[in-house]
């Protein structure tokens, strides 16, 4: 069973940094490709970043490429999202998600992901 718990959200000033974590309490974390998504008020959930099972491949939305970095530590069953140069438009609830059965091509399609965390709020003030 996969249970994902995000942490690290909060209030940050524009231009600042924040690191989100997502921990899985199960024993199969390394079986899953992992992704981060976000949802701002009144908007649809959107893809942010994804990482392969081994951590060797990553994929980013254009809006965060060069500012955000996704990484994972399979020994700690944790995936991270390092967010730098934050902008007010990055304000959203951030969710981590796990994709079972990934064959190597990382996806930005939310329905490919089988398990989701409860989300953590990130607010960027101008």
């Amino acid at each position: 069973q996969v249970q994902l718990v995000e942490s690290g959200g909060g209030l940050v000033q524009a231009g600042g940094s924040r690191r989100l974590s997502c921990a899985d309490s199960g024993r199969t974390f390394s079986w899953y490709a992992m992704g981060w998504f976000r949802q701002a008020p009144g908007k649809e959930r959107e893809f942010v970043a994804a990482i392969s099972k081994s951590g060797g491949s990553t994929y980013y939305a254009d809006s965060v490429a060069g500012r955000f970095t996704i990484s994972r530590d399979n020994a700690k069953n944790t995936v991270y999202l390092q967010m730098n140069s934050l902008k007010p438009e990055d304000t959203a609830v951030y969710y981590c998600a796990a994709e079972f059965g990934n064959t190597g091509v990382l996806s930005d399609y939310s329905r490919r992901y089988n398990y989701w965390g409860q989300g953590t709020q990130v607010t960027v003030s101008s």
Side-chain angles (χ1 to χ4, degrees), residues 9-79:
L11 177 65
V12 61
Q13 289 189 335
S17 298
R18 199 82 179 182
R19 189 176 82 157
L20 305 182
S21 300
C22 171
D24 172 25
S25 60
R27 297 184 177 183
T28 57
F29 180 74
S30 63
W31 295 5
Y32 298 85
M34 298 297 297
W36 285 96
F37 290 76
R38 67 186 181 185
Q39 188 167 18
K43 295 187 177 181
E44 293 185 354
R45 190 171 298 188
E46 66 173 359
F47 170 75
V48 175
I51 190 167
S52 61
K53 291 180 282 187
S54 68
S57 297
T58 57
Y59 174 37
Y60 296 93
D62 290 343
S63 58
V64 306
R67 299 189 298 123
F68 290 11
T69 301
I70 188 171
S71 62
R72 67 189 295 163
D73 185 338
N74 286 346
K76 295 182 178 180
N77 286 5
T78 302
V79 62

